[in-house]
């Protein structure tokens, strides 16, 4: 399949932090990333991370007639039936409040297992999703937050194999082990085929 080379890709988010994180993974490909315009809102009506990633990538790509990449990610806690899941960012109005709510809901639960999930989708300028993948990182929820790095639920997401929370890891270590890192590592061989030059 002859796919045009995308020198610029729109990241289907208004979050500059997410663009910076994606740029780390995509730097080697020589692409320029840019945020979607603020006025272009995409309602996340999907019932899974992958559905929402597809929706965001396709809508932004078609609206701007440019290549677009989207990620939808969150935390799924076993004892809470997979919650907060696709509502991870909307679980409360701040990171601290989201963590507080989650820990309260887990009080008295012996099963602390959880997974971080990241779905990625890449759409061409016609709005067709041409690549997609999902990365999963398994861990546990701590009783109290630990560490000062990262963002979101990182201070309470713990990897027993390392004895550290995401917030206690060096950025390079988290990049390699995280759900987003896993998703990008699966996507990269295919992305290289689209890379300019």
């Amino acid at each position: 399949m002859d796919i045009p080379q995308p020198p610029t890709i729109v990241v289907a988010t208004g979050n500059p932090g997410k663009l910076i994180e994606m740029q780390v993974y995509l730097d080697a490909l020589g692409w320029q990333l840019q945020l979607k315009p603020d006025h272009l809102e995409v309602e996340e009506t999907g019932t899974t991370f992958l559905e929402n990633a597809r929706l965001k990538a396709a809508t932004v790509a078609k609206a701007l007639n440019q290549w677009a990449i989207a990620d939808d990610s969150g935390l799924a806690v076993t004892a809470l039936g997979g919650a907060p899941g696709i509502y991870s960012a909307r679980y409360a109005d701040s990171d601290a409040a989201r963590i507080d709510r989650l820990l309260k809901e887990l009080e008295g639960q012996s099963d602390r297992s959880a997974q971080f999930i990241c779905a990625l989708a890449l759409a061409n300028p016609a709005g067709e999703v041409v690549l997609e993948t999902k990365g999963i990182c398994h861990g546990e929820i701590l009783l109290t937050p630990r560490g000062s790095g990262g963002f979101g639920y990182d201070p309470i997401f713990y990897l027993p194999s390392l004895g550290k929370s995401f917030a206690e890891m060096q950025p390079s270590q988290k990049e390699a082990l995280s759900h987003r890192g896993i998703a990008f590592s699966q996507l990269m061989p295919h992305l290289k085929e689209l890379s300019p030059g």
Side-chain angles (χ1 to χ4, degrees):
M1 181 169 60
D2 186 25
I3 299 176
Q5 297 172 340
T8 301
I9 291 199
V10 179
V11 179
T13 181
N15 182 343
K18 193 170 276 190
L19 180 139
I20 291 166
E21 199 163 286
M22 283 193 177
Q23 188 74 65
V24 170
Y25 297 110
L26 298 175
D27 250 359
L29 299 179
W31 289 348
Q32 295 300 310
L33 299 189
Q34 65 183 50
L35 286 175
K36 73 167 182 62
D38 285 340
H39 66 82
L40 184 55
E41 288 297 325
V42 183
E43 193 177 351
E44 296 180 22
T45 55
T47 57
T48 67
F49 292 110
L50 206 45
E51 282 178 17
N52 281 331
R54 284 185 201 125
L55 186 66
K56 289 187 280 190
T59 303
V60 169
K62 195 168 185 179
L64 300 176
N65 194 33
Q66 285 184 270
W67 287 81
I69 191 167
D71 120 325
D72 197 53
S73 50
L75 181 67
V77 180
T78 308
L80 301 180
I86 59 170
Y87 304 106
S88 292
R90 292 166 274 177
Y91 214 46
D93 58 9
S94 70
D95 285 349
R98 286 186 274 275
I99 286 172
D100 191 51
R101 177 180 174 186
L102 189 67
L103 292 178
K104 279 188 170 64
E105 291 184 358
L106 273 179
E107 281 175 7
Q109 294 283 354
S110 57
D111 183 358
R112 311 285 295 187
S113 62
Q115 53 188 19
F116 258 133
I117 301 167
C118 173
L120 296 171
L122 178 75
N124 66 21
E128 300 161 338
V129 174
V130 295
L131 291 174
E132 61 182 45
T133 190
K134 186 167 74 170
I136 298 174
C137 180
H138 297 276
E140 298 173 1
I141 302 300
L142 292 166
L143 294 170
T144 54
R146 279 174 37 180
S148 56
F151 59 92
Y153 298 95
D154 286 359
I156 57 169
F157 189 78
Y158 178 76
L159 290 187
S161 58
L162 286 182
K164 289 181 180 178
S165 74
F166 265 5
E168 293 175 302
M169 292 182 192
Q170 293 298 318
S172 58
Q173 194 174 35
K174 184 189 166 194
E175 283 160 24
L177 298 170
S178 75
H179 50 310
R180 190 165 286 115
I182 293 166
F184 269 103
S185 70
Q186 293 168 355
L187 205 64
M188 286 300 279
H190 307 290
L191 287 173
K192 282 176 183 166
E193 296 168 16
L194 308 178
S195 185

